[in-house]
Amino acid sequence: DAGITQSPRYKITETGRQVTLMCHQTWSHSYMFWYRQDLGHGLRLIYYSAAADITDKGEVPDGYVVSRSKTENFPLTLESATRSQTSVYFCASSGAGANYGYTFGSGTRLTVV
Amino acid sequence: GENVEQHPSTLSVQEGDSAVIKCTYSDSASNYFPWYKQELGKRPQLIIDIRSNVGEKKDQRIAVTLNKTAKHFSLHITETQPEDSAVYFCGRDTGNQFYFGTGTSLTVIP
């Protein structure tokens, strides 16, 4: 599991600020995903990427931007943070595609004040 | 629709008893159904999965069953132990996107 790392683990930011969450994997997995986890909503897909330079929206993409210039990195940017984006964010990767198991990172707990 | 209905949301069992969590879906294109376990403060981890061409799969005390006709699948944990206490998420996948259920908080009472 050390093959997928997220940073930072904890982040407090102010409303309106831009913040970037980092995700790095060492397996050269083609698929990478960003989820947010909130009480009562489970895990919701924000964005995913099938390969470098290919990204697509998930269930809750509004307010987020992603990029994938390199296979191993998949940063998630909140362009102008809002309190509703306070959540735990999980990055995940999969080697064979969306219909194989994911490996999750340790998560980033983001608080927007 | 896109959602996966997962029940119950909370479940308490005595140590040694069995626990069953059920998920239902409506998209017939779903072909992969994993289960994840998330302990408090930790990341979700895959514990078992099943594909649409299989009806049942077992791994020691854990089993998953799939009824494609009725569009539901279930996680069965036998001889539960305190370390089984966690939140369990089901998922479904169409090959393009993947959706999770809202989770079941399982408590095993010693």
Side-chain angles (χ1 to χ4, degrees):
Chain A
D1 286 351
I4 181 165
T5 55
Q6 290 184 236
S7 61
R9 287 297 309 275
Y10 304 92
K11 176 73 176 178
I12 299 174
T13 191
E14 294 177 341
T15 302
R17 289 197 179 265
Q18 182 181 83
V19 60
T20 295
L21 310 184
M22 304 301 295
C23 180
H24 176 78
Q25 53 105 353
T26 59
W27 297 303
S28 298
H29 281 175
S30 55
Y31 278 81
M32 295 187 75
F33 309 84
W34 274 106
Y35 284 88
R36 60 177 291 173
Q37 185 172 35
D38 306 289
L39 280 175
H41 291 282
L43 289 152
R44 292 183 291 175
L45 182 64
I46 304 170
Y47 270 95
Y48 71 101
S49 169
D53 297 322
I54 300 174
T55 63
D56 209 346
K57 295 178 181 179
E59 184 184 354
V60 288
D62 293 344
Y64 303 96
V65 174
V66 294
S67 62
R68 187 125 180 250
S69 57
K70 293 184 178 181
T71 299
E72 59 266 31
N73 296 324
F74 191 39
L76 175 74
T77 298
L78 287 68
E79 295 184 295
S80 178
T82 65
R83 289 196 178 89
S84 65
Q85 292 177 310
T86 293
S87 185
V88 178
Y89 291 85
F90 284 101
C91 177
S93 72
S94 174
N99 60 352
Y100 287 79
Y102 292 6
T103 300
F104 283 87
S106 298
T108 294
R109 183 176 293 276
L110 176 69
T111 302
V112 183
V113 297
Chain B
E2 296 178 339
N3 292 337
V4 184
E5 298 285 334
Q6 183 171 346
H7 298 282
S9 57
T10 60
L11 178 60
S12 292
V13 299
Q14 290 292 136
E15 182 177 358
D17 287 350
S18 295
V20 181
I21 303 169
K22 183 177 178 179
C23 287
T24 60
Y25 62 99
S26 57
D27 186 349
S28 57
S30 300
N31 55 17
Y32 174 66
F33 307 91
W35 286 90
Y36 289 82
K37 174 184 180 182
Q38 186 177 28
E39 296 176 354
L40 188 63
K42 296 190 177 180
R43 73 188 82 186
Q45 292 193 303
L46 179 70
I47 55 172
I48 195 167
D49 56 14
I50 193 168
R51 299 187 189 283
S52 56
N53 59 347
V54 175
E56 183 177 3
K57 184 176 179 180
K58 288 184 179 180
D59 183 3
Q60 298 182 332
R61 297 186 296 108
I62 293 173
V64 56
T65 58
L66 172 65
N67 184 325
K68 285 181 58 180
T69 303
K71 294 188 176 66
H72 65 73
F73 56 108
S74 298
L75 177 70
H76 305 256
I77 306 174
T78 59
E79 301 173 18
T80 54
Q81 301 168 4
E83 52 264 38
D84 294 330
S85 295
V87 177
Y88 292 81
F89 292 95
C90 64
R92 70 167 187 87
D93 186 0
T94 64
N96 290 320
Q97 287 201 4
F98 180 50
Y99 300 95
F100 283 97
T102 51
T104 296
S105 179
L106 172 65
T107 301
V108 179
I109 303 166

